[in-house]
Amino acid sequence: MKEYKIAAVHGDGIGSEIIPPGLRVLNQVAKKFNFGLEVKEFDWGAGYYKKHGDFMPEDGLDILSRYDAIYFGAVGLPDVDDTLPAMMYTFKVRVHFKQYINLRPVKLLPGIDSPLCNKGMDDIDFVIIRENNEGEFVQNGKIIHPDEPHGLATDTSVFTRKGIEQVAHYAFKLARKRKKRVTNVTKSNTLINTLAYWDKVIGEVAEQYSDVEYNQMYVDNASASFVLRPEVFDVVLTTNMIGDILSDLGGSIMGSLGLGPSGNINPEKDYPSMFEPIHGSAPDIAGKNLANPIGTIWSGALMLEHLGEVEAANAIVDGIKKTTASGLKTKDLGGDAKTDQVTDQIIKNIDS
Ligand code: NAI
Ligand code: MG
């Protein structure tokens, strides 16, 4: 029997309300599809920082490197400096483990009304591939003389040929398995150095995939198009910051941020990849059993797919679809079901 070692990092806020349901579902499909899961749970995050002065122990990355994958909630608390979570946990893990792909499916589920109510499940079905290791988020800058009249601040984006090429190849290969269309979302008309270079390198990669339709769209147009004509998208290839912003918009057109899954993927599998919902720690609803667990449970399916358990992954997605189709919804979707009820129903549907 195959056995996978999973590090489950709850994080903060609703993290400890969504990761346990996700683990229940994963254990269920492990039993059904006959593979083993050895899970260790970690209480790292902003809460841990308040007690220990860091988001994870000093050897945290070493610890994580011993696992096949990382299953992650979200980090951040209202009373902790919100510039720390990305620096001390999220980007640290993503960059250290060369998880240079951030994959975020945007797909309308049965029974969920998108705010775009004249669009159906065939219209809203695309994947955002966000460059996940460089770009606008490298935290390469300085704040100088912050309290002086001549105070100034910089953040300089970094784009490398290698970084752009590797994310582009991933996107084009993925498109070959889908509807064979890549849309490069950019803003190279104003960021005339970094994003013009991004476009140039992606254009070169595109030539190697003549069977895939390739086009470019500026991010302002893309955000309008997510809402007005989502059916034009298949694989959306974009930069770290643009992808971050567009994927919240993607989650919204699915009906709720609580539905969106994601994978921080190291395609070579040299390092563990990390799977997390697209939303944050939602402190406004934490501790109330109100969190929608679907984004986290679906992220578990992406994790199993990455590990090679495709059948089990599909069973989870089917279990989710049957659940939404039955009308059972948490509050964010206008229903009154609790986190537990939705999880129980998904597990029941996987079994039936
Ligand atoms: P958020 O995504 O936590 O919440 C935005 C809104 O969506 C809130 O009204 C929340 O209640 C709702 N929401 C989110 N997830 C939900 C779910 N599963 N079910 C139902 N409703 C849900 O974003 P916000 O408020 O901007 O950030 C809160 C904290 O999370 C901050 O500290 C931020 O830094 C952190 N954060 C962490 C991320 C990560 O660890 N990857 C990603 C995004 C934010
Ligand atoms: Mg985000």
Side-chain angles (χ1 to χ4, degrees):
M1 188 169 77
K2 269 207 158 164
E3 170 131 336
Y4 303 100
K5 290 181 68 173
I6 307 296
V9 180
H10 292 202
D12 305 299
I14 58 170
S16 46
E17 295 168 71
I18 51 176
I19 289 293
L23 291 173
R24 284 181 57 204
V25 172
L26 288 167
N27 282 319
Q28 186 67 21
V29 292
K31 248 192 282 165
K32 186 169 168 143
F33 292 92
N34 213 26
F35 57 90
L37 287 180
E38 187 192 322
V39 179
K40 179 138 167 74
E41 297 179 51
F42 297 93
D43 63 347
W44 302 346
Y48 186 92
Y49 169 84
K50 288 204 283 187
K51 285 184 243 156
H52 305 281
D54 203 345
F55 275 59
M56 61 169 105
E58 218 177 312
D59 59 347
L61 292 171
D62 263 359
I63 294 172
L64 292 178
S65 71
R66 291 175 217 136
Y67 289 84
D68 295 310
I70 304 157
Y71 193 42
F72 169 50
V75 285
L77 284 176
D79 57 346
V80 170
D81 175 359
D82 216 25
T83 62
L84 300 181
M87 192 181 2
M88 296 178 117
Y89 181 78
T90 331
F91 294 149
K92 199 166 149 179
V93 174
R94 290 174 182 171
V95 173
H96 182 80
F97 293 127
K98 298 193 169 48
Q99 296 162 348
Y100 59 83
I101 300 294
N102 194 300
L103 178 142
R104 302 189 154 188
V106 178
K107 188 176 172 62
L108 194 61
L109 293 167
I112 304 288
D113 294 327
S114 164
L116 289 61
C117 56
N118 58 338
K119 302 287 182 185
M121 286 164 56
D122 291 337
D123 300 316
I124 302 179
D125 184 0
F126 58 92
V127 179
I128 298 173
I129 297 297
R130 158 182 169 194
E131 197 292 315
N132 209 30
N133 275 184
E134 45 182 62
E136 308 88 342
F137 285 174
V138 289
Q139 307 199 326
N140 168 39
K142 237 187 161 68
I143 302 176
I144 305 171
H145 312 305
D147 303 317
E148 304 299 323
H150 56 287
L152 71 94
T154 63
D155 266 307
T156 306
S157 313
V158 173
F159 289 86
T160 66
R161 175 174 279 280
K162 177 163 186 269
I164 303 167
E165 280 179 354
Q166 64 188 7
V167 72
H169 281 292
Y170 187 92
F172 281 95
K173 284 186 187 136
L174 180 65
R176 276 189 172 152
K177 293 191 237 158
R178 296 178 49 100
K179 291 178 259 173
K180 293 195 165 56
R181 187 185 304 151
V182 170
T183 305
N184 170 22
V185 175
T186 177
K187 190 69 186 172
S188 47
N189 53 340
T190 44
L191 293 169
I192 58 169
N193 298 297
T194 48
L195 294 193
Y197 187 56
W198 164 274
D199 284 353
K200 167 183 152 62
V201 176
I202 287 178
E204 289 168 15
V205 173
E207 283 174 15
Q208 301 167 41
Y209 296 83
S210 51
D211 53 323
V212 176
E213 180 191 335
Y214 170 66
N215 50 60
Q216 251 175 272
M217 197 183 280
Y218 293 129
V219 59
D220 29 10
N221 179 14
S223 50
S225 299
F226 268 33
V227 176
L228 299 174
R229 42 190 196 116
E231 65 277 9
V232 303
F233 298 108
D234 178 25
V235 174
V236 174
L237 167 59
T238 192
T239 68
N240 209 334
M241 185 169 81
I242 296 177
D244 186 23
I245 298 168
L246 280 184
S247 54
D248 269 29
L249 183 55
S252 306
I253 66 174
M254 289 163 69
S256 164
L257 273 192
L259 293 171
S262 84
N264 302 276
I265 298 173
N266 175 255
E268 294 78 19
K269 302 193 178 173
D270 293 331
Y271 303 93
S273 295
M274 177 165 71
F275 298 83
E276 57 173 321
I278 62 165
H279 58 74
S281 56
D284 53 332
I285 59 164
K288 298 183 183 146
N289 201 14
L290 289 177
N292 188 336
I294 289 180
T296 308
I297 293 172
W298 193 346
S299 301
L302 295 181
M303 179 167 77
L304 293 183
E305 193 181 332
H306 178 77
L307 293 171
E309 298 292 340
V310 176
E311 244 189 314
N314 291 340
I316 295 179
V317 176
D318 286 345
I320 292 172
K321 284 185 185 165
K322 279 187 198 145
T323 305
T324 55
S326 76
L328 193 71
K329 292 176 190 160
T330 41
K331 192 163 171 231
D332 53 306
L333 292 169
D336 56 8
K338 304 289 185 210
T339 311
D340 295 349
Q341 281 173 284
V342 172
T343 311
D344 290 344
Q345 191 59 46
I346 291 172
I347 290 175
K348 222 185 264 167
N349 288 336
I350 290 171
D351 261 352
S352 68

